[in-house]
């Protein structure tokens, strides 16, 4: 299967292979300081404008719980189990008859305590049942690239780069391709390496892409398509420009004239929040790109 | 041969695909929980044997999903059930103690244990907030006395108005937010539920908000602030009543431009712990959009 590749001799700007480092905050950076509910002093600003007002205090219990999530999940089971055994032992070694007598204060206290113990045990079991399975990310195999179609407006370019910045920061996205108006406007992130071995990338064959089933079904439905486990999907071959070990894929229609192809490094790595945001950002991008195309048509 | 970069991989089966298309993935026992290491591992992957039967790993995990339940009462958060049971049963233990004529030592021991369990049960919903998958913040109803407004500064270009309108709408729609304030240099976008005075012009409201931002000292902010349990005295009077969570993110410079834009994005919610790390990441992304906004 022939795949076009971006070479140094192509009329398009030659792809480069930088260590593309983006300077913005990451989700995995140091945690945002969180506040406790203590009364604060009034905020004060220095003449230089530095913020000296109230800042959130660290939530030590919350941080401990987040860092020891596995232990916290079984903690109610441990506490409830130990308490249950303690109640039974207390009753056994106190010489009390093993009869649940409602008129007995002892029995009532034991029943209430046992009920609380069972509540804690059930809570712990529920926490265990909804523990998300950890799926590690897979480093995409390919070449880092940053290609923006020459000639697009500054606003459109800025919008597309902001889209990439948002996705790469907030989600597991490692590859992004934007096709709009039968033209590839953006290919950024990790792309499949060209078979020519010149360090180039596999360019997006828009004609071939638009003939594929993935693109067609996405545009026909006008809805976002989320392939949570891309390696299991046979249509993966329609996207040769993506790294071959891309784990998850989102195809997001951009209006009725384009699509954003978003590749992630983790199976089921895109959450429902990500999907909602991607849909909404696509609407904004459609608005910007449609204006660009209209301006281009008028020129 | 299969190569992974992780020290542990969990067997996963895509529940979306039909069984005929499922290929079992490689799996092996997790080894360490230390930092990720690049290893070369040899595993066997069997797609289908000659009989067409898929080889599957036996289910190791106990299915505890049967324990999950819902009372079906709209607006009732079942994650708080241990707290209610703890408080209720704790009161019953106390009542039992005072109703008993002559409590014995075993009874007192049982009651003390019951009180401890009641306190622990009451604390469980708080601990559960910090566990993934346990508590998801449901969108709460807006305060009845709240008034929804949408105010943009004057002298904005069409593109700027569109950006601010879209950003505020996206924040209200995709996060558990009831109030949004976006300030970019001297331009403001105020949207959602705010306690604004009656019969006051939009220009006066904007000036009022600018003064409050100045008094709160947000102009010099350089890092994101997240107040998951907000009190009214923490950041002044800028926020409406009923706010329980606040995120304030400054708008600064990026690597794409040497220009910098002063401003902030403020979102407020009427529920505690309303914003997850994911929400804050997307709020930052929205704020980054305005870094290159022309004056």
């Amino acid at each position: 299967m022939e795949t076009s590749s971006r070479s140094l001799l192509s009329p398009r700007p030659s792809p480069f292979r930088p260590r593309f480092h983006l300077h913005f905050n990451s989700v995995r950076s140091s945690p945002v300081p969180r506040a406790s509910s203590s009364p604060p002093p009034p905020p004060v600003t220095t003449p230089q404008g530095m913020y000296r007002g109230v800042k959130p205090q660290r939530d030590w219990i919350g941080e401990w719980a987040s860092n020891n999530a596995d232990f916290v999940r079984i903690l109610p089971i441990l506490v409830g189990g130990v308490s249950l055994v303690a109640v039974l032992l207390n009753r056994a070694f106190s010489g009390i008859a093993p009869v649940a007598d409602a008129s007995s204060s002892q029995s009532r206290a034991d029943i209430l305590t046992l009920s609380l113990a069972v509540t804690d045990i059930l809570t712990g079991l529920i926490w265990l049942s909804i523990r998300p399975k950890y799926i590690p990310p897979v480093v995409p195999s390919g070449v880092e690239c940053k290609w923006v179609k020459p000639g697009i407006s500054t606003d459109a370019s800025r919008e597309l780069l902001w889209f990439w910045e948002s996705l790469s920061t907030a989600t597991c996205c490692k590859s992004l391709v934007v096709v709009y108006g039968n033209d590839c406007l953006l290919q950024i992130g990790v792309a499949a390496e060209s078979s020519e071995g010149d360090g180039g990338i596999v360019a997006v064959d828009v004609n071939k892409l638009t003939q594929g089933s993935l693109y067609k079904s996405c545009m026909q439905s006008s809805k976002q398509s989320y392939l949570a486990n891309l390696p299991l999907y046979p249509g993966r071959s329609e996207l040769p420009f993506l790294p071959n070990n891309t784990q998850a894929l989102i195809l997001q229609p951009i209006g009725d004239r384009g699509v954003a192809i978003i590749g992630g490094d983790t199976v089921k790595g895109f959450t429902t929040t990500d999907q909602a945001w991607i849909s909404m950002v696509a609407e904004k991008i459609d608005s910007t790109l449609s204006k660009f195309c209209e301006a281009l048509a008028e020129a | 041969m299969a190569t992974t970069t992780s020290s542990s991989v969990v067997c996963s089966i895509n529940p979306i695909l039909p069984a005929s298309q499922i290929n079992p993935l490689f799996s092996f026992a997790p080894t360490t929980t230390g930092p990720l290491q690049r290893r070369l591992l040899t595993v066997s992957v069997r797609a289908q044997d000659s009989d067409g039967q898929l080889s599957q790993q036996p289910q190791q995990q106990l299915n505890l999903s049967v324990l999950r339940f819902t009372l079906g009462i709209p607006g009732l958060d079942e994650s708080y059930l241990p707290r209610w049971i703890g408080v209720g049963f704790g009161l019953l233990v106390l009542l039992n103690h005072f109703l008993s004529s002559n409590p014995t030592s075993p009874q007192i021991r049982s009651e003390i244990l019951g009180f401890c369990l009641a306190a622990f049960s009451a604390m469980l919903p708080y601990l559960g907030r910090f566990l993934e998958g346990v508590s998801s913040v449901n969108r709460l109803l807006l305060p009845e006395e709240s008034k929804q407004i949408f105010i943009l500064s004057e002298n904005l270009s069409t593109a700027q108005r569109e950006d601010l309108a879209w950003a505020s709408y996206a924040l209200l729609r995709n996060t558990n937010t009831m109030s949004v304030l976006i300030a970019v240099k001297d331009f403001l976008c105020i949207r959602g539920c705010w306690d604004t005075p009656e019969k006051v012009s939009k220009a006066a409201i904007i000036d009022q908000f600018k003064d409050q931002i100045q008094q709160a000292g947000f102009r010099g902010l350089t890092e994101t602030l997240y107040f998951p349990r907000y009190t009214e005295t923490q950041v002044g009077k800028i926020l409406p009543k009923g706010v329980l969570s606040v995120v304030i993110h400054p708008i600064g410079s990026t690597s794409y431009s040497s220009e910098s834009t002063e401003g902030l994005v403020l979102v407020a919610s009427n529920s505690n712990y309303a914003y997850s790390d994911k929400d804050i990441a997307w709020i930052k992304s929205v704020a980054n959009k305005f870094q290159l906004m022309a004056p």
Side-chain angles (χ1 to χ4, degrees), chain A residues 61-292:
Chain A
I61 297 177
E63 286 187 23
W64 174 83
S66 299
N67 295 331
N68 299 278
D70 290 339
F71 173 72
V72 172
R73 287 183 193 272
I74 65 171
L75 184 61
I77 299 174
L78 294 175
V79 170
V82 168
S83 302
L84 196 146
V85 171
V87 168
L88 296 176
L89 288 177
N90 178 55
R91 197 172 178 89
F93 288 109
S94 300
I96 302 170
V99 176
D101 183 7
S103 63
S104 164
S105 301
Q106 175 70 43
S107 295
R108 289 196 295 267
D110 287 344
I111 288 172
L112 291 171
T113 306
L114 284 175
S115 302
L116 287 168
V118 169
T119 299
D120 291 343
I121 292 173
L122 288 177
T123 302
L125 290 174
I126 290 174
W127 285 2
L128 281 180
S129 72
I130 55 179
R131 174 174 51 187
K133 188 176 292 184
Y134 173 69
I135 302 174
V138 174
V139 177
S141 58
V143 178
E144 287 196 22
C145 71
K146 178 188 173 188
W147 184 88
V148 182
K149 178 180 168 60
I152 68 171
S153 66
T154 306
D155 288 342
S157 172
R158 189 180 298 165
E159 194 94 318
L160 291 173
L161 290 175
W162 167 76
F163 186 31
W164 158 250
E165 183 178 332
S166 302
L167 288 175
S168 58
T169 303
T171 72
C172 65
C173 172
K174 294 298 179 189
S175 309
L176 174 64
V177 169
V178 174
V179 173
Y180 194 84
N182 288 326
D183 204 354
C184 178
L185 302 185
L186 177 73
Q187 185 176 7
I188 195 169
V190 183
E193 189 171 4
S194 167
S195 57
E196 296 175 3
D198 57 353
I201 60 173
V202 175
V204 179
D205 188 343
V206 178
N207 290 330
K208 198 171 182 180
L209 175 68
T210 53
Q211 298 301 318
S213 59
L214 279 175
Y215 179 88
K216 283 183 178 178
S217 63
C218 178
M219 298 308 289
Q220 282 174 0
S221 66
S222 298
K223 289 182 181 177
Q224 185 187 91
S225 176
Y226 179 26
L227 306 178
N229 198 339
L230 186 63
L232 300 181
Y233 193 75
R236 163 75 183 84
S237 58
E238 299 176 15
L239 307 169
F241 44 85
L242 291 180
N244 55 10
N245 59 350
T246 300
Q247 299 295 295
L249 181 76
I250 285 183
L251 290 163
Q252 175 62 51
I254 301 176
D256 54 0
R257 300 181 58 181
V259 67
I261 302 167
I262 305 163
D265 64 354
T266 308
V267 171
K268 302 177 193 176
F270 294 104
T271 65
T272 51
T273 303
D274 295 334
Q275 290 179 265
W277 274 103
I278 289 170
S279 295
M280 194 150 292
V281 172
E283 294 176 4
K284 183 68 177 70
I285 289 176
D286 180 39
S287 172
T288 304
L289 294 181
S290 62
K291 288 175 191 171
F292 160 67

Side-chain angles (χ1 to χ4, degrees), chain A residues 35-48:
Chain A
S36 60
S37 55
S38 56
V44 175
T45 54
T46 63
Q48 290 77 23

Side-chain angles (χ1 to χ4, degrees), chain B residues 208-279:
Chain B
Q208 187 179 359
F209 270 85
K210 285 181 181 177
D211 290 339
Q212 290 178 357
I213 290 172
Q214 192 67 29
Q215 288 177 14
F218 289 143
R219 285 296 182 184
L221 197 60
T222 57
E223 59 178 355
T224 306
L225 300 182
Y226 176 34
F227 297 88
R229 290 182 297 173
Y230 172 77
T231 58
E232 290 188 3
T233 55
Q234 282 183 304
V235 289
K237 301 178 182 178
I238 191 172
L239 292 171
K241 290 181 182 177
V243 168
L244 298 177
S245 296
V246 182
V247 174
I248 307 162
H249 178 70
I251 298 173
S253 60
T254 67
S255 59
Y256 291 107
S257 170
S258 58
E259 300 175 3
S260 63
T261 303
E262 292 182 356
L264 62 94
V265 171
L266 185 151
V267 292
S269 172
N270 57 339
S271 65
N272 284 321
Y273 295 92
Y275 300 101
S276 63
D277 289 342
K278 177 75 69 174
D279 292 329

Side-chain angles (χ1 to χ4, degrees), chain A residues 125-126 128-130, chain B residues 61-70:
Chain A
L125 290 174
I126 290 174
L128 281 180
S129 72
I130 55 179
Chain B
Q61 291 184 334
L62 190 63
N63 187 4
L64 299 171
S65 59
V66 293
L67 297 173
R68 281 182 254 168
F69 70 97
T70 176

